[in-house]
Amino acid sequence: ICMMHELLDLRQALFQTRKLDARSVYDRKLDIIQNNIYGVDIDPFAVNIARLRLWLSLAVEGAKPEPLPNLDYKVERGDSLVAPLSGTESQASFYVHSVDEYLNLKTSYLRSHDGSKLTLKKRIEEKKAEITGWARRGHSVSGFDWSVEFAEVFLGSGGFDIIVANPPYVRADAQFKHIDDEQVRARQIELWREYRSQLSRSRLYSTLYEKWDLYIPFLERAHQLLRNFGEMEFIIADSHNVAKYARK
């Protein structure tokens, strides 16, 4: 939401001579949401809250009530870390054409509020499968597939201009003491150890060192997702400056 308002303020500075009514601000916000903002979170509640806040930011402009945009392909649910990034920099004409169609379909879907909505969603999923076949050579991957879900970002500019995040902090020896049920707690500890092992074996990250905290691969993943000269803004623990596990 803050990023949307930053972009809105910048656009307003560029067009100071133009009188802005509520409808104009609404249109600018919707344009920014459509063309500039992407989000991913593993928690479905967080995804729903993010979509709700974007909807509310449009509603407060006091313009004539409009149908809410469909944000299914703007703020998505998934594990940000486990999927490898593919070589979506390919300039093969078939691939470029598929990604252009994919973006156009998602743009139409965001503003669709009639009977075409379901048809558009079906076509988006078909195009996504087509892009997956090209980018992954027929192999599926687990986790959020950045290279496919947001293919237009990587083909168009090689990555994101800015990535902002407040990643989870989970220590290597996390005990999940907030969980009262001992069996559930033991299972969560086991799942965390399995997840750490999975990330280490994946060879996706070169900065995982000794008893690394979970925010470490998030930092490296963000760096992987940036275009050249992109910027990342993270809220992370001070331990990044002194912890042995943060050495790399």
Side-chain angles (χ1 to χ4, degrees), residues 4-5 17 57 81 98 101 119 167 175 183 186 202 207 209:
M4 182 191 66
H5 282 286
T17 58
S57 74
L81 298 179
S98 292
E101 284 188 345
T119 302
Q175 296 300 305
Q183 288 187 328
S202 71
T207 57
Y209 182 63

Side-chain angles (χ1 to χ4, degrees), residues 7-20 24 28 31:
L7 293 172
L8 185 68
D9 289 345
L10 287 169
R11 290 184 64 170
Q12 188 166 336
L14 289 170
F15 301 102
Q16 287 186 2
T17 58
R18 297 187 185 179
K19 183 179 180 181
L20 281 182
S24 298
R28 284 190 183 179
D31 186 66

Side-chain angles (χ1 to χ4, degrees), residues 3-223:
M3 183 61 68
M4 182 191 66
H5 282 286
E6 288 289 338
L7 293 172
L8 185 68
D9 289 345
L10 287 169
R11 290 184 64 170
Q12 188 166 336
L14 289 170
F15 301 102
Q16 287 186 2
T17 58
R18 297 187 185 179
K19 183 179 180 181
L20 281 182
D21 55 17
R23 179 69 206 196
S24 298
V25 176
Y26 176 94
D27 288 340
R28 284 190 183 179
K29 283 185 175 181
L30 185 58
D31 186 66
I32 290 169
I33 292 170
Q34 177 175 300
N35 296 301
N36 302 114
I37 302 294
Y38 293 84
V40 179
D41 200 288
I42 200 169
D43 182 353
F45 179 77
V47 170
N48 289 333
I49 288 295
R51 291 174 179 172
L52 177 61
R53 292 193 66 194
L54 287 169
W55 286 325
L56 289 175
S57 74
L58 292 168
V60 297
E61 294 310 325
K64 178 183 176 181
E66 299 284 344
L68 296 173
N70 304 307
L71 301 177
D72 305 41
Y73 299 104
K74 299 302 302 181
V75 184
E76 300 194 41
R77 179 177 180 266
D79 185 322
S80 297
L81 298 179
V82 298
L85 302 182
S86 73
T88 51
E89 68 279 357
S90 170
Q91 295 300 310
S93 58
F94 168 80
Y95 180 73
V96 173
H97 181 66
S98 292
V99 173
D100 287 343
E101 284 188 345
Y102 184 49
L103 176 58
N104 290 336
L105 287 169
K106 290 200 288 185
T107 298
S108 298
Y109 177 79
L110 183 134
R111 296 173 180 260
S112 174
H113 304 289
D114 54 25
S116 66
K117 182 177 175 181
L118 292 178
T119 302
L120 281 168
K121 188 158 191 175
K122 181 180 178 181
R123 290 178 63 195
I124 289 170
E125 294 302 320
E126 290 172 349
K127 188 59 61 175
K128 185 191 297 185
E130 192 175 283
I131 293 172
T132 300
W134 178 269
R136 296 298 179 188
R137 301 296 188 266
H139 300 289
S140 61
V141 300
S142 60
F144 187 81
D145 195 346
W146 295 89
S147 303
V148 171
E149 297 289 345
F150 300 152
E152 67 272 15
V153 173
F154 299 96
L155 184 67
S157 63
F160 291 98
D161 297 288
I162 300 171
I163 293 177
V164 296
N166 179 13
Y169 319 130
V170 186
R171 294 165 51 96
D173 59 351
Q175 296 300 305
F176 299 93
K177 293 182 178 179
H178 62 286
I179 300 176
D180 295 328
D181 188 301
E182 286 299 318
Q183 288 187 328
V184 175
R185 189 167 73 88
R187 179 56 179 159
Q188 288 301 311
I189 293 173
E190 180 184 354
L191 288 173
W192 168 228
R193 289 172 179 168
E194 291 174 358
Y195 187 71
R196 284 178 60 87
S197 179
Q198 178 187 1
L199 287 184
S200 296
R201 293 193 312 269
S202 71
R203 299 184 182 275
L204 295 175
Y205 304 99
S206 61
T207 57
L208 303 186
Y209 182 63
E210 293 196 350
K211 296 182 178 182
W212 48 270
D213 190 293
L214 185 56
Y215 72 80
I216 297 294
F218 269 95
L219 287 169
E220 187 170 352
R221 173 46 51 107
H223 190 265

